[in-house]
Amino acid sequence: MIRVLVADDQSLVRMGLTTLLDSEDDLELTAAADNGRTAVQLTRQHRPDIVLMDIRMPQLDGLAALRAICADPELQQVRVIMLTTFELDEYVFESLRGGASGFVLKDAGPEELLQAIRVVADGGSLLTPSVTRRVIAEFAQSASSAGQEHPDIHRLTAREREIVGWVARGLSNDEIATQLVLSPATVRTHVSRSMVKLAARDRAQLVVFAIQSGIPPGRLS
């Protein structure tokens, strides 16, 4: 059972998400919050697997709530999916830095949202297809000038750096395997080792570290 907490200041959105979650046998709504401060409190109280977090909320916005959750060592297993209205919302880039595991547009279909929850709960990360490459491109442009190289980036092998570059392009393990003529299992192993070496909490954070460290995205053949 995947336990989900919903945080959104719009009652109709909370009601819709609650109805959607209740319709799935493997998902359970643990709590709902109408502002960021309550979202952090309820997350600490219920320890859900997934938090669906609206970016714009009163008292404490979703970005600040995200940072509070990701900075709490007792909430290491909690994954946060940000709900955003616009594909290139300026806060999306800050959310990546803050530790978000995925993004879903508010007007996404029910199946897309359910897939996001399940993918992230299974240890993956997700940027909706309409957002992925544009978000990464914009984030890379803003981050490249910062020069915040990860202190352990040198621990990656040449192959790991190459594969992390493909992750930073937004490709899945299967897509990377096709590009490099490797098995998906081999790619998965390299990604996992890279995450361990860089202490990345998930695939989304691995993307952040790769871009900040100047690892170039893979080039499609």
Side-chain angles (χ1 to χ4, degrees):
M1 183 68 70
I2 301 172
R3 303 171 65 248
V4 183
L5 185 148
V6 171
D8 195 295
D9 62 332
Q10 299 180 33
S11 58
L12 286 178
V13 173
R14 292 197 308 275
M15 185 182 304
L17 291 173
T18 297
T19 301
L20 179 62
L21 294 173
D22 286 343
S23 69
E24 301 297 310
D25 294 337
D26 62 332
L27 304 180
E28 176 188 354
L29 177 69
T30 61
D34 60 3
N35 65 76
R37 194 176 307 281
T38 300
V40 175
Q41 294 171 347
L42 291 176
T43 298
R44 289 173 175 156
Q45 178 181 345
H46 295 280
R47 308 289 177 87
D49 301 301
I50 301 292
V51 175
L52 294 178
M53 182 82 73
D54 185 21
I55 288 182
R56 295 185 179 88
M57 286 189 294
Q59 296 190 30
L60 192 69
D61 64 35
L63 182 58
L66 164 72
R67 287 173 174 162
I69 291 171
C70 292
D72 190 332
E74 295 186 358
L75 301 177
Q76 291 270 330
Q77 302 306 312
V78 177
R79 297 291 179 260
V80 181
I81 298 174
M82 306 302 290
L83 300 174
T84 179
T85 304
F86 304 105
E87 290 191 3
L88 291 181
D89 191 304
E90 61 183 359
Y91 295 119
V92 168
F93 313 121
E94 290 302 319
S95 296
L96 273 173
R97 293 188 180 96
S101 294
F103 300 89
V104 177
L105 296 177
K106 279 192 170 184
D107 60 359
E111 289 304 319
E112 193 171 353
L113 177 59
L114 294 173
Q115 179 197 23
I117 294 172
R118 291 174 177 127
V119 167
V120 171
D122 194 41
S125 63
L126 185 140
L127 304 177
T128 51
S130 58
V131 176
T132 303
R133 288 168 178 76
R134 291 171 64 188
V135 165
I136 289 174
E138 290 287 336
F139 180 71
Q141 185 175 14
S142 63
S144 59
S145 60
Q148 300 173 340
E149 182 176 286
H150 192 287
D152 292 323
I153 201 70
H154 65 278
R155 297 184 58 199
L156 299 183
T157 65
R159 176 60 95 179
E160 287 167 351
R161 288 179 67 94
E162 180 183 24
I163 288 178
V164 167
W166 284 103
V167 173
R169 190 179 178 89
L171 270 65
S172 67
N173 289 344
D174 288 346
E175 291 170 332
I176 296 172
T178 298
Q179 287 293 320
L180 300 181
V181 195
L182 298 171
S183 72
T186 297
V187 173
R188 191 178 306 111
T189 297
H190 284 303
V191 171
S192 296
R193 288 176 178 171
S194 299
M195 290 176 63
V196 170
K197 289 179 179 179
L198 301 181
R201 59 185 285 137
D202 55 29
R203 198 179 181 96
Q205 193 170 46
L206 187 62
V207 170
V208 174
F209 292 158
I211 294 173
Q212 289 181 330
S213 300
I215 294 179
R219 294 189 176 184
L220 293 170
S221 58

